[in-house]
Amino acid sequence: MTAATRAVRFRAVLSQVRIGYLTPWSYRSSMLLSLVVVAIQVVLYAVVWRAIYAGHDEPVAGADVRQAVGYAVLGITVAGVLDTWPGQSIEWRVREGLIGIDLTRPIGLLTQNLAVQTGFVIAALPTVLVGLGAGLLVGGLTAPADPAAALAFMISLVLAFGVSQLITLLMGLTSFWTLEVGGIQMAFAVVRTFLSGSVLPLWFMPGWLQAVATALPFQAATFTPVSIYFGRPPGGLAMALGVQLFWVVVLALLAALVWSRARHRVVVQGG
């Protein structure tokens, strides 16, 4: 590949990131409303967790009330940024017949969509200010356990980004087999939210449910980085980061495999 070709492809990727960033903010009222919802969630979860712990000074599953509230604040914030769903995602383009245009671009379909999804994540970054700001107002967020935990948290967030976006990509690829994925998407959102630990930490789940959540990739997108932040990495720090990296590799290979099958289902008509 020549330098000129690489430059063209790099610009093409950046253009897709830009599209992903600009698309959600073209609907400013919707984006602003989503930020308000995040703030309300943070406040409500802080109130609920404090009510649950009221009159109980002893920790539950190793977590005291400050850690439970802090986990809720950070979990909602992380999920609000990473668990985005592109408005013009694969299923929409398949249904509208635009997928043929995507296949003529200088970069592959998977790269295109990951770039667009990255743009959506960048557009959602104000959620960090809103979520953490609301958390500080309700006194629901404490500093990381130590500087090493803060650094590990940042590394884990990068891996969590990869896991989350590859899961979203795989979900979009199902549209090549079923044009309407609305029902599947709703079920997927419920499973993803619950098993990722963005609402309820895996610490509080019964043993059998923890085993199910641990065996699936969702927990690597929210629970792992947030638990690292509080100095409680599942299985130890090296194991936690290793599991995240494992899922990034497995999901990337799975996405490539699914796309290799899906591309044979594309039929483009015209004349």
Side-chain angles (χ1 to χ4, degrees):
M1 184 185 299
T2 65
T5 302
R6 285 195 295 269
V8 169
R9 293 190 174 183
F10 180 69
R11 286 194 295 270
V13 170
L14 288 182
S15 71
Q16 295 300 298
V17 173
R18 184 172 182 272
I19 290 171
Y21 171 76
L22 293 176
T23 298
W25 280 108
S26 63
Y27 305 96
R28 288 183 176 82
S29 58
S30 177
M31 286 294 290
L32 292 175
L33 179 60
S34 69
L35 295 178
V36 172
V37 170
V38 168
I40 292 173
Q41 282 184 296
V42 167
V43 173
L44 290 179
Y45 273 94
V47 170
V48 169
W49 278 117
R50 287 195 174 109
I52 292 174
Y53 272 86
H56 300 280
D57 296 329
E58 67 278 3
V60 177
D64 58 19
V65 62
R66 293 185 62 188
Q67 197 170 77
V69 173
Y71 181 98
V73 171
L74 202 56
I76 291 169
T77 302
V78 170
V81 175
L82 296 185
D83 293 353
T84 56
W85 192 272
Q88 295 188 3
S89 51
I90 296 176
E91 71 272 12
W92 182 83
R93 300 190 69 80
V94 169
R95 187 168 57 248
E96 296 298 318
L98 299 173
I99 200 70
I101 298 175
D102 297 335
L103 297 178
T104 65
R105 290 177 175 153
I107 54 177
L109 183 71
L110 300 187
T111 303
Q112 291 176 48
N113 281 273
L114 286 173
V116 170
Q117 291 173 201
T118 299
F120 269 76
V121 170
I122 295 172
L125 285 178
T127 302
V128 175
L129 296 177
V130 173
L132 299 187
L136 291 173
L137 285 176
V138 299
L141 191 64
T142 58
D146 52 61
L151 177 60
F153 171 68
M154 299 304 297
I155 296 172
S156 182
L157 273 182
V158 174
L159 294 171
F161 167 82
V163 172
S164 181
Q165 300 318 303
L166 286 167
I167 290 174
T168 299
L169 180 64
L170 281 164
M171 181 61 198
L173 288 173
T174 63
S175 59
F176 284 96
W177 285 269
T178 171
L179 293 179
E180 180 51 55
V181 297
I184 298 175
Q185 184 177 336
M186 290 177 62
F188 166 75
V190 172
V191 172
R192 180 184 204 173
T193 300
F194 189 74
L195 294 183
S196 68
S198 61
V199 173
L200 183 71
L202 269 62
W203 307 323
F204 299 147
M205 294 182 182
W208 67 269
L209 190 53
Q210 283 190 38
V212 172
T214 302
L216 296 173
F218 303 106
Q219 48 81 27
T222 303
F223 174 72
T224 298
V226 178
S227 62
I228 287 175
Y229 182 93
F230 290 103
R232 297 186 59 181
L237 181 57
M239 174 64 75
L241 295 177
V243 169
Q244 283 187 294
L245 182 59
F246 167 80
W247 279 118
V248 168
V249 173
V250 169
L251 292 171
L253 293 174
L254 184 58
L257 176 63
V258 173
W259 172 232
S260 71
R261 301 292 187 271
R263 65 195 309 165
H264 297 299
R265 300 181 63 85
V266 179
V267 177
V268 180
Q269 296 179 340

